[in-house]
Amino acid sequence: MKELHRVLVLCETSSTHGRDIVEGINHFALEHDWNINFEQRGRFDTTAKRFTPWNADGIISRTYHKSMHRILLESKLPLVELFGSPYTGIDNEVAIDEASLAVMIVDHFLERGLRRFAYYCMEDAPFFHERRRCLLNYLEKKGYGCEICPTSWRDSDYFFPQWHEKYRKQVTKWLRELPKPIALYAAIDNHAQIILNICREEKIQIPQDISVVSVGNDEWLCRLYRPTISSVDASGYTIGYTAAQLLQAKMEKRPVPKQKINIPCSFLAVRQSSDFYSIGDPDTEKALLYIRENACSRLTVSEVADHLNLSERSLYRGFKKFLNRTPQSEILRIQMETAKQFLRETTLPIVSIAHRTGFSTPEYFVRAFRRECKVTPNVYRQRCRFQSADDSSSDVAHEE
C-alpha cells in the first residue's frame, strides 16, 4: 500500500503570493494523496513547537522569523524553505528568478521611453539584495544607472520591519530630489504603496513624474490605491507546486538539486502607476496613445498617420528615433498585451480572443502569438491560470 505522507505547511495567507503558494502545494498534494496540516497565518505569526505532536513527515515553510528557522532545523524533518536566509543556516530553495524580474520591469519602462531609473526597498532580507543586484546588472548591461534610496531598517527577529514615520523624512527627501521623469522599481507591492502615499502628499505626480512598478501583484492591494499599482506576478502557484515536488523527493530520499530552483516570472499587470509614455515628441506620444486605444480594431499605420495629419514616413521616423521600433510593431505589441490579459483573466476561447484583438483568423492569431511570445496561447494560459492540459486542450483546434 502506498505510504500516506503527512505534511505541515507554514505559509502566510495574508497575501496573494502566500495564498498562491498554498494553492500550488495543494494541487500537488491532491495529485499525490498527501495529508496536509495547514492553518490561516499572518506574515509574522509563529508556530513554536506545535508541529511536533502532529508527527509530520515533512515541512514546507515560508517563515520570516530567525527564531522559527532554528526550531525548524531542530525538528530534523525533511524541509523545503521558501524564504530562508544564509544568516540562519536555512536557505530559500525555490524562488522567483530575480534576473527575469529585472528584465521584465526594465524593458517595460524602456518601451515607454523612460531612461532614468530608481529602486526602493526598506527590507534586509537576502532576496531583496539579490533583487537589487540583478536590477543593477541588467541596467549596466543596457547602459543605464540607478538611484537607490538609502533607507535604513531596524534590527529585529525578522526581515520585514513595519513602516514607521521615522523613515518618511528620508524617503520623502529622496523622492523630491530624484531627476524626473523617472522609472521606479519598488521591491514589493507594500513598498509601492509607501511611495504612492508620500508622492500624493508631496504633490509628485504618478506616473508623469515617477512611474512605478512593483512585485507581487496582490490584486486587492494594487487596486486599493490611486493610481492603481502596476505589478509583476511572482509565480506563487508554480513556486508552491515545485516546492511540493522537492519535498516529495526529500521524503523519499531521492537526489535533489543542490542549487536554488529559480522560477521565471509570468507576467506584468500594467495599471495606472506605469501606464505612461515619456518620449519628448508630441506627435509620437499622441500616436502611442491612439494606438493603445485602437490597436485591437484592425488598426493600420496609415490610419494612425491620417489621424495625426502626418505622412506615414514622418510617423515611422519618429518611432525609430524615439522608440527604436516601428508603428506596426507597436500595434502588434498592444494586441499581444491585450491577448495576454484575456488569456490570464478570462475563459474566452481562442477564437473569441483572436476576434477581440483584431486578428482576421484564429490561425493567424496563434501564429503571431507563438512568434512574439515563444509559446502558444494555450500554453501561456496554462502557465498563468494553472489549468491542466486537459482543461484547455479543447480551446482551439488551430494550435498544432
Side-chain angles (χ1 to χ4, degrees):
M1 182 177 176
K2 185 179 177 181
E3 181 182 1
L4 179 67
H5 288 304
R6 298 157 63 86
V7 175
L8 176 66
V9 177
L10 302 174
C11 182
E12 82 275 10
T13 52
S14 57
S15 70
T16 295
H17 186 57
R19 292 190 294 273
D20 286 346
I21 288 173
V22 173
E23 186 181 350
I25 295 169
N26 185 57
H27 188 166
F28 184 91
L30 291 171
E31 292 176 345
H32 294 81
D33 201 25
W34 281 7
N35 189 11
I36 285 184
N37 187 9
F38 172 76
E39 62 185 36
Q40 297 284 336
R41 293 171 57 81
R43 176 181 285 178
F44 305 119
D45 289 352
T46 58
T47 304
K49 299 180 180 180
R50 257 186 272 169
F51 60 82
T52 305
W54 196 66
N55 193 28
D57 298 308
I59 304 170
I60 299 177
S61 167
R62 180 173 156 85
T63 179
Y64 302 86
H65 291 263
K66 299 171 188 177
S67 58
M68 273 302 300
H69 287 171
R70 289 191 293 271
I71 293 172
L72 292 171
L73 288 174
E74 289 169 2
S75 76
K76 305 298 184 183
L77 290 170
L79 169 69
V80 174
E81 173 58 44
L82 300 180
F83 188 79
S85 164
Y87 308 147
T88 59
I90 181 169
D91 288 329
N92 185 350
E93 297 181 75
V94 186
I96 191 74
D97 180 11
E98 299 294 345
S100 73
L101 271 177
V103 171
M104 183 172 285
I105 291 175
V106 170
D107 287 356
H108 168 74
F109 285 134
L110 291 175
E111 285 172 354
R112 281 158 170 73
L114 291 158
R115 299 295 182 266
R116 289 190 285 254
F117 297 87
Y119 177 76
Y120 174 71
C121 178
M122 64 171 286
E123 322 292 5
D124 194 27
F127 81 85
F128 283 126
H129 299 305
E130 176 71 2
R131 188 158 292 180
R132 182 175 68 178
R133 185 188 68 80
C134 289
L135 171 66
L136 295 178
N137 285 347
Y138 187 61
L139 285 173
E140 183 180 12
K141 190 181 298 184
K142 288 287 190 177
Y144 301 106
C146 186
E147 304 281 347
I148 306 291
C149 184
T151 307
S152 59
W153 45 78
R154 70 187 185 193
D155 186 25
S156 69
D157 183 50
Y158 50 84
F159 298 109
F160 283 78
Q162 298 297 295
W163 173 255
H164 192 280
E165 285 300 306
K166 67 182 179 182
Y167 302 128
R168 183 176 294 271
K169 184 175 180 182
Q170 186 180 31
V171 178
T172 300
K173 181 176 184 294
W174 179 69
L175 290 171
R176 283 179 185 155
E177 295 177 353
L178 286 175
K180 299 175 181 68
I182 195 167
L184 190 148
Y185 179 168
I188 55 176
D189 293 333
N190 298 73
H191 295 172
Q193 162 203 336
I194 291 167
I195 296 300
L196 264 62
N197 281 341
I198 294 177
C199 285
R200 186 172 185 178
E201 292 176 4
E202 295 298 316
K203 305 219 170 8
I204 298 171
Q205 290 186 302
I206 292 179
Q208 294 88 341
D209 294 330
I210 301 178
S211 187
V212 179
V213 170
S214 61
V215 179
N217 196 31
D218 189 319
E219 293 243 1
W220 182 84
L221 182 63
C222 289
R223 296 184 185 279
L224 181 65
Y225 288 86
R226 293 294 179 272
T228 53
I229 302 170
S230 296
S231 185
V232 178
D233 183 86
S235 302
Y237 179 97
T238 308
I239 289 172
Y241 191 92
T242 305
Q245 289 178 312
L246 186 59
L247 182 63
Q248 179 89 340
K250 288 186 176 185
M251 291 189 296
E252 295 176 351
K253 296 183 170 50
R254 291 187 279 113
V256 297
K258 294 182 179 179
Q259 302 297 321
K260 179 173 66 177
I261 301 172
N262 289 312
I263 306 297
C265 51
S266 49
F267 65 90
L268 195 165
V270 180
R271 301 187 181 94
Q272 294 167 343
S273 70
S274 71
D275 197 5
F276 172 72
Y277 294 96
S278 177
I279 306 302
D281 178 69
D283 287 334
T284 304
E285 289 181 357
K286 289 176 184 177
L288 285 167
L289 290 172
Y290 188 73
I291 289 172
R292 183 176 63 183
E293 294 171 359
N294 298 279
C296 295
S297 301
R298 300 194 182 183
L299 184 67
T300 65
V301 175
S302 63
E303 288 172 338
V304 179
D306 289 345
H307 177 77
L308 298 172
N309 293 319
L310 293 173
S311 68
E312 289 187 41
R313 187 172 182 179
S314 296
L315 184 65
Y316 182 88
R317 277 202 306 263
F319 268 70
K320 291 298 290 183
K321 178 179 179 180
F322 295 104
L323 297 168
N324 196 31
R325 57 182 184 267
T326 66
Q328 186 59 52
S329 66
E330 178 64 12
I331 292 171
L332 181 60
R333 188 183 73 81
I334 297 298
Q335 287 178 296
M336 290 294 105
E337 290 304 312
T338 306
K340 287 178 183 178
Q341 185 175 8
F342 280 130
L343 289 166
R344 290 194 307 266
E345 300 177 9
T346 77
T347 57
L348 286 171
I350 300 301
V351 173
S352 295
I353 294 175
H355 174 74
R356 292 182 182 218
T357 50
F359 288 89
S360 55
T361 66
E363 293 88 348
Y364 178 36
F365 166 67
V366 170
R367 286 197 300 271
F369 194 95
R370 180 186 287 162
R371 183 182 66 247
E372 297 300 316
C373 304
K374 312 306 179 189
V375 294
T376 66
N378 270 340
V379 171
Y380 181 84
R381 172 172 268 167
Q382 290 166 26
R383 289 178 179 176
C384 294
R385 295 177 61 84
F386 318 119
Q387 297 175 337
S388 67
D390 291 341
D391 290 334
S392 58
S393 59
S394 61
D395 259 359
V396 65
H398 307 287
E399 290 199 45
E400 300 91 358

